Amino acid sequence: VNSWKEIVRRVVYLGRRSRFDHELEDEARFHIETRAKELEQAGQSSRDALLQARREFGPPARMQEDTRAAWQFQWIEQLFIDLRHALRTFQRRPAFALTAIACLTLGIGANTLIFSLVNAVLLRSLPYPDADRLVTVWFTPPNRPNQKAGTNALGYFTVRDNSHVFESVGAARLDAAFNVSEDSPNGGAPERVPVQWFTIDLSHVLGVNPILGRWPTQSDQNQLVISYSLWQRIFGGAPDVIGKKLRTDFGPMPVIGVLPAGFELLRPDVGFWIFQTDPDLRTQGALRSLNRIFTVVARLKPGVTIEQARAEMTRVAPRLAKEMPESHKGWGLQVETLHDVSVGQIRKPLLIFQGAVFFVLLIACANVAGLLLAHASARKRELAMRAALGSSRWRIARQLLTESVLLSLIGGASGLALAAVGLRVFTSLRLAGFPHEIALDTTVVGFTLLLSLGTGLIFGALPALQISRPDLMEVLRESTRSATASGAHQRLRGAFVVVQVSLALVLLMGAGLTINSLMRLNTVQAGLDPRGLIAFQVPLSRAFYSNAGTTPTGGFQVNVSPRVNLLTERIRARAATLPGVESATLAVTPPLGGEPPRVRFTRQGQLLSSAEQEAWSAEYYPVGAEYFRTLKVPLLRGRELGPQDSETGAPVAVINATMARTFWPDADPIGKRVQLDVLYDSPREIVGVVGDVHQVRYQRVPQPQLYLPRVQLPLKMGMNVSLEIMFVNTFVIRTHGDAAALAPALRAAVAEVDPNQVISSVRTVEEYAVGQLQDLRHYATLFSIFGCISVALAAVGLFGIMAHLVNQRTNEIGIRRALGAPNGAVLVEVLQRGVVLVAIGLGLGMAVSFALTRLIQNLLWGVTATDPLTFALALLAMLAVALLACCVPARRALKVDPVIALRAE
């Protein structure tokens, strides 16, 4: 016994052996007695039967079990020996260990980060019972099966009452918002809250119960179920919230339930839910409305597949078209899982990023495998000596695999820490469609552990098998002379370098294409001057309109109060008087704030086919006075909209240049008249043509745009044109100085005009412009990071193989220089292998890039997935980095002293 460790080892061993002995004695005694009875019944004497039973179940069985226990302990002991040996090896060569761990940290950390997002978004089930049975029923327009739309109340009832594959069917309206405050003397200022209208059946479809209170029933009227966040924000989480009231656009409404934290349906940040009963939806206005405001959600019956549901909806579509042909003729019905709807927009980008970071991991593994080969080449005398002393090939390979797995586990642990930091940065960006809080849960930690183990085994297997069978005679004969590595080692390391260069080129191509798209989008002229512009919205209460019965086609219509125009004009006029304000105007859609609504129209006196009527549409802009002057949109012909275009003036409109070219290619549109597909709207005379405005910067071609005075909108409106154009008012202010600094003064001005109004979305127009490119900018940043990491790893791998090659050929290079070889010839000879590997890698990378960059076509703008310029620049950049990585070790070869090389000989 030489140390306390040996004492502990022997005590543990004796304790295990004693436990096995006791167990074996009990088991052997049972078998001996049983066997002896069998032999006695066969005719043997009791003594002979007992002796034979002891021979069969006595010491041999104990010895066998004891040997097994000793082997198990020996295996554990050998594992610890291998681990200690690996740690000593890393300690002797820290540069090798740190380089390998850094490569694995980057590869595993990037994969862990993206898998955390995939796990949180794609793999995690929705927070509903049996969420895999929840589906959404979409309505698809004629000849456009990929376009999804909602339906009216009739469509909902038809699906609910005529299907046999659904356990329950409900509907929700997803696009509403109310001004809300607590209905009490100290309720505070109102705030704008997203709202969803639910049918009673939808609570049964989702299967989630409130944590306080209950869902409403068909007998309840105008009662609210609020979200957990609204309960905390307005009521302070008071447990007696049930029965309290919220002041809404429709007056005070009582709270009857509070839903769990995180509950949502296809729209985040919803504050409360208002429920509509069947009698409400079966009124003539709601049932026959042409406005498709409801999304149908259903729960499949147990055992019913989504294919069966789609087949049944195909049979339901003709029935609906027969009942209401004016809105459903030619429309189809499509069924999609609720999970796919929730993650549909970000599924493809996430999978693309997962593939990109997998490439990074492959490059890191190839790099580490090359390092292991180089490291093993330096240890070939050690490995040969171990083989000569009796170590088997499996024993040597096991030692090498232990080292690679240990490296991978350390890299995995540090990669997990790197992913935690990266995840915090990513969630702070608050990208659309991603949860705002994502944690590294047990699933992610388990994934990282498996990835680390698998990576260590995979990238360590080939080097271990390659170098675990050394040529003993050759190695021992070399003594202290340097020699070139074996051909098999060289080919394997070369293959690793080719893989790194090709995969790095693929990621560099992806980064180049997204950066190219971003640069092109940044140069797109919006058609207005966003500098010095600030926009804010004042959503008016629904109390500004009243029910006006039904339209001639049976749809729902309302009477709009004239106070809307008076209030908006007062706010605009007050904002125009603020210090530093150059002009103020009114709009519906904020400039560069997204896609505006569209309206169909006809030229007065011209009959059109149904197909032409469907195609004749334009972006719809009800605007206020001084709109074009405030936004600095150029006037091309005619005049702008002015104060004379009041509610009592002649109906007029201004169009953009694209609309003029499209619908009046050979005539002057000034003086022509158009009829909008807006209920009660009169024919309008075109009085001016202005320049094109790109409201959405992703638009590849300008769209027809039609502007009209907002005060000339009819005060009786049908729901086929959204009421949002009347009740969500966007005020646009041009300032002389810093636009963002004007925000507090604008809030005070609105409060001065009407303290009950809510002001929201105070943003500069430049912020809107930047926001449109935010997602592409983040995608380009991630691709660039992955591309730079991959290029750096490939350069390190190429540098490593060239440096090792120079080191192995030091004597040869010295002798050649001593014999008079010129420096250029030596440099070319050394560079030749690196250049060949780079050329093969670039060729393979180009072929893979042509195939894979098509996957990111939807992220690109203005360039194709095989853009020649981008490919050429990426290829030149990768070639330059690769040649630099080759040249640095090659120049070292020219510094080899011939005297030292000859002295070694």
Side-chain angles (χ1 to χ4, degrees):
V1 178
N2 298 323
S3 66
W4 65 270
K5 293 183 179 179
E6 183 68 15
I7 296 175
V8 173
R9 187 187 70 81
R10 292 192 180 186
V11 169
V12 171
Y13 177 77
L14 292 175
R16 292 185 176 181
R17 181 172 181 176
S18 175
R19 177 169 57 84
F20 278 116
D21 285 343
H22 286 299
E23 294 175 355
L24 291 172
E25 286 177 2
D26 294 337
E27 184 178 0
R29 187 181 300 110
F30 171 79
H31 288 298
I32 290 171
E33 292 174 355
T34 304
R35 180 60 174 162
K37 292 179 181 179
E38 293 176 355
L39 293 174
E40 285 180 5
Q41 293 176 357
Q44 291 189 17
S45 64
S46 299
R47 182 176 178 276
D48 293 340
L50 182 60
L51 290 175
Q52 183 175 347
R54 285 179 175 177
R55 284 194 299 271
E56 293 178 4
F57 296 96
R62 181 182 300 111
M63 289 173 60
Q64 182 179 5
E65 292 294 335
D66 198 29
T67 302
R68 183 183 305 168
W71 180 85
Q72 291 175 348
F73 179 77
Q74 183 181 9
W75 180 83
I76 296 174
E77 188 176 30
Q78 288 178 351
L79 176 61
F80 280 105
I81 292 173
D82 290 342
L83 290 174
R84 287 196 298 270
H85 190 286
L87 290 175
R88 286 198 298 269
T89 301
F90 300 158
Q91 188 176 5
R92 288 196 301 269
R93 296 177 176 85
F96 155 75
L98 292 177
T99 303
I101 291 172
C103 293
L104 291 171
T105 298
L106 292 174
I108 296 176
N111 275 268
T112 301
L113 170 62
I114 301 300
F115 179 78
S116 301
L117 304 177
V118 171
N119 178 60
V121 177
L122 301 184
L123 301 183
R124 188 169 296 169
S125 61
L126 298 177
Y128 311 112
D130 298 324
D132 57 324
R133 291 164 50 200
L134 293 176
V135 297
T136 303
V137 181
W138 296 109
F139 290 72
T140 59
N143 303 319
R144 285 179 285 176
N146 295 326
Q147 182 177 337
K148 298 181 293 187
T151 185
N152 56 6
L154 179 64
Y156 158 62
F157 285 127
T158 303
V159 171
R160 189 190 71 177
D161 300 337
N162 295 276
S163 61
H164 306 286
V165 295
F166 298 135
E167 187 177 276
S168 52
V169 180
R173 181 180 178 182
L174 309 178
D175 60 348
F178 281 2
N179 296 339
V180 175
S181 63
E182 185 180 2
D183 187 34
S184 65
N186 299 320
E191 61 177 285
R192 192 69 172 176
V193 174
V195 179
Q196 283 185 346
W197 298 84
F198 265 28
T199 63
I200 299 297
D201 295 325
L202 196 53
S203 60
H204 305 299
V205 173
L206 300 178
V208 177
N209 293 319
I211 57 175
L212 292 177
R214 60 177 177 84
W215 290 108
T217 63
Q218 292 286 358
S219 60
D220 294 318
Q221 293 288 334
N222 295 330
Q223 302 199 48
L224 306 179
V225 175
I226 64 175
S227 67
Y228 185 90
S229 60
L230 189 71
W231 174 45
Q232 297 292 325
R233 190 166 67 250
I234 291 185
F235 296 102
D240 59 346
V241 66
I242 305 302
K244 292 185 176 181
K245 293 184 178 181
L246 279 177
R247 188 181 299 118
T248 71
D249 290 356
F250 290 118
M253 303 177 74
V255 175
I256 65 168
V258 178
L259 286 170
F263 175 85
E264 65 179 59
L265 178 65
L266 299 179
R267 184 184 180 185
D269 304 327
V270 170
F272 60 88
W273 291 263
I274 301 177
F275 289 83
Q276 291 186 299
T277 62
D278 283 5
D280 293 334
L281 294 177
R282 291 191 183 277
T283 61
Q284 183 70 7
L287 199 63
R288 311 294 297 187
S289 173
L290 299 178
N291 204 5
R292 298 177 173 274
I293 60 175
F294 290 108
T295 298
V296 177
V297 182
R299 178 177 289 274
L300 295 173
K301 290 182 178 179
V304 175
T305 65
I306 193 169
E307 287 75 18
Q308 292 173 317
R310 288 169 179 163
E312 180 162 287
M313 290 300 99
T314 302
R315 294 191 293 269
V316 171
R319 178 192 296 268
L320 185 57
K322 184 177 180 180
E323 289 192 46
M324 192 175 177
E326 63 271 22
S327 63
H328 291 94
K329 184 178 181 180
W331 285 65
L333 276 73
Q334 183 58 263
V335 180
E336 188 178 6
T337 65
L338 187 60
H339 184 271
D340 287 345
V341 175
S342 302
V343 304
Q345 294 182 347
I346 58 177
R347 177 191 297 275
K348 189 173 181 178
L350 266 184
L351 295 180
I352 290 174
F353 285 138
Q354 188 68 72
V357 295
F358 182 68
F359 277 11
V360 174
L361 181 61
L362 288 180
I363 296 172
C365 290
N367 206 335
V368 174
L371 289 173
L372 285 174
L373 278 175
H375 180 57
S377 298
R379 298 170 59 191
K380 57 186 176 181
R381 288 185 56 79
E382 171 200 339
L383 299 178
M385 189 65 68
R386 295 181 67 179
L389 295 176
S391 292
S392 65
R393 185 183 183 190
W394 160 243
R395 182 68 184 82
I396 297 175
R398 191 184 71 190
Q399 174 64 47
L400 297 174
L401 279 175
T402 301
E403 293 177 7
S404 64
V405 171
L406 183 59
L407 282 174
S408 185
L409 289 176
I410 297 174
S414 54
L416 196 63
L418 180 65
V421 176
L423 196 61
R424 183 173 300 178
V425 174
F426 186 89
T427 52
S428 67
L429 300 178
R430 294 185 174 270
L431 293 182
F434 288 93
H436 294 166
E437 295 182 3
I438 305 176
L440 296 177
D441 56 13
T442 55
T443 302
V444 177
V445 174
F447 167 81
T448 305
L449 178 61
L450 291 177
L451 185 65
S452 302
L453 289 174
T455 299
L457 292 174
I458 292 172
F459 77 71
L462 282 177
L465 294 175
Q466 185 70 249
I467 61 183
S468 60
R469 186 188 291 173
D471 189 338
L472 301 182
M473 296 304 298
E474 180 183 350
V475 174
L476 295 177
R477 190 167 50 242
E478 287 176 1
S479 183
T480 59
R481 293 176 57 182
S482 299
T484 304
S486 67
H489 289 191
Q490 293 281 12
R491 287 191 296 272
L492 187 58
R493 289 201 68 188
F496 289 148
V497 170
V498 168
V499 169
Q500 293 178 67
V501 172
S502 60
L503 295 181
L505 181 61
V506 173
L507 293 179
L508 203 59
M509 294 290 190
L513 289 172
T514 52
I515 291 174
N516 194 348
S517 298
L518 186 61
M519 292 174 61
R520 289 173 181 267
L521 279 170
N522 276 320
T523 60
V524 171
Q525 297 299 320
L528 54 85
D529 185 3
R531 296 169 297 180
L533 285 179
I534 186 171
F536 65 93
Q537 292 182 320
V538 179
L540 300 180
S541 168
R542 298 296 174 110
F544 280 87
Y545 72 82
S546 59
N547 190 353
T550 58
T551 66
T553 59
F556 181 70
Q557 67 177 354
V558 297
N559 282 325
V560 179
S561 171
R563 293 184 298 129
V564 170
N565 292 332
L566 295 175
L567 179 61
T568 54
E569 176 56 26
R570 289 178 59 198
I571 294 175
R572 188 204 66 80
R574 180 65 185 91
T577 62
L578 293 176
V581 173
E582 180 179 328
S583 61
T585 188
L586 179 64
V588 173
T589 305
L592 304 182
E595 188 171 356
R598 297 185 73 91
V599 64
R600 290 186 295 181
F601 68 93
T602 58
R603 295 190 300 195
Q604 189 178 20
Q606 181 175 3
L607 297 177
L608 300 176
S609 65
S610 58
E612 289 175 323
Q613 288 179 359
E614 186 70 24
W616 280 43
S617 66
E619 293 179 353
Y620 189 42
Y621 294 94
V623 299
E626 300 185 346
Y627 180 82
F628 302 110
R629 185 171 74 88
T630 301
L631 273 61
K632 294 188 177 180
V633 177
L635 177 67
L636 304 180
R637 274 178 286 178
R639 67 173 180 86
E640 298 183 1
L641 301 176
Q644 70 274 23
D645 301 314
S646 62
E647 57 266 38
T648 59
V652 296
V654 171
I655 63 175
N656 69 334
T658 296
M659 185 169 178
R661 287 193 305 268
T662 303
F663 300 104
W664 291 273
D666 302 320
D668 186 358
I670 303 298
K672 300 295 191 295
R673 302 175 74 85
V674 292
Q675 175 65 61
L676 306 187
D677 185 21
V678 175
L679 193 64
Y680 306 119
D681 195 57
S682 302
R684 296 185 174 274
E685 179 184 353
I686 298 174
V687 296
V689 178
V690 295
D692 296 329
V693 175
H694 289 268
Q695 281 285 357
V696 179
R697 302 183 72 180
Y698 281 95
Q699 283 181 346
R700 301 185 184 275
V701 293
Q703 295 294 306
Q705 296 168 337
L706 188 145
Y707 303 85
L708 68 153
R710 187 186 177 282
V711 295
Q712 289 187 352
L713 288 175
L715 294 180
K716 180 176 287 189
M717 303 186 67
M719 290 293 289
N720 59 326
V721 175
S722 174
L723 289 177
E724 298 297 320
I725 66 174
M726 290 295 290
F727 299 112
V728 179
N729 301 281
T730 300
F731 296 88
V732 186
I733 313 298
R734 179 167 291 279
T735 67
H736 295 292
D738 182 11
L742 194 63
L746 292 174
R747 294 182 183 276
V750 173
E752 180 182 333
V753 174
D754 189 343
N756 294 322
Q757 299 306 318
V758 177
I759 182 172
S760 63
S761 302
V762 184
R763 300 172 63 185
T764 66
V765 174
E766 289 181 300
E767 289 176 341
Y768 278 110
V770 171
Q772 287 193 11
L773 304 182
Q774 182 177 11
D775 288 349
L776 180 59
R777 183 175 292 106
H778 292 323
Y779 293 146
T781 301
L782 287 176
F783 269 121
S784 300
I785 292 173
F786 298 151
C788 291
I789 291 174
S790 63
V791 170
L793 291 175
V796 169
L798 192 57
F799 177 88
I801 192 173
M802 293 300 297
H804 184 66
L805 181 64
V806 171
N807 184 58
Q808 291 290 326
R809 300 178 61 183
T810 298
N811 290 352
E812 174 197 342
I813 295 171
I815 293 172
R816 293 185 63 187
R817 294 194 63 207
L819 294 176
N823 289 344
V826 174
L827 186 64
V828 171
E829 180 68 23
V830 175
L831 281 175
Q832 183 177 2
R833 178 171 175 77
V835 170
V836 170
L837 293 177
V838 170
I840 297 174
L842 292 178
L844 182 60
M846 287 289 289
V848 176
S849 297
F850 271 104
L852 294 184
T853 52
R854 302 177 191 276
L855 297 176
I856 62 172
Q857 181 65 59
N858 292 339
L859 300 179
L860 307 180
W861 190 92
V863 296
T864 63
T866 57
D867 181 60
L869 179 60
T870 303
F871 271 50
L873 292 176
L875 186 63
L876 290 176
M878 189 69 220
L879 181 61
V881 173
L883 291 179
L884 180 63
C886 292
C887 287
V888 174
R891 288 182 58 84
R892 289 175 51 194
L894 302 180
K895 299 180 181 180
V896 174
D897 191 346
V899 176
I900 297 176
L902 292 174
R903 186 179 299 150
E905 289 297 319

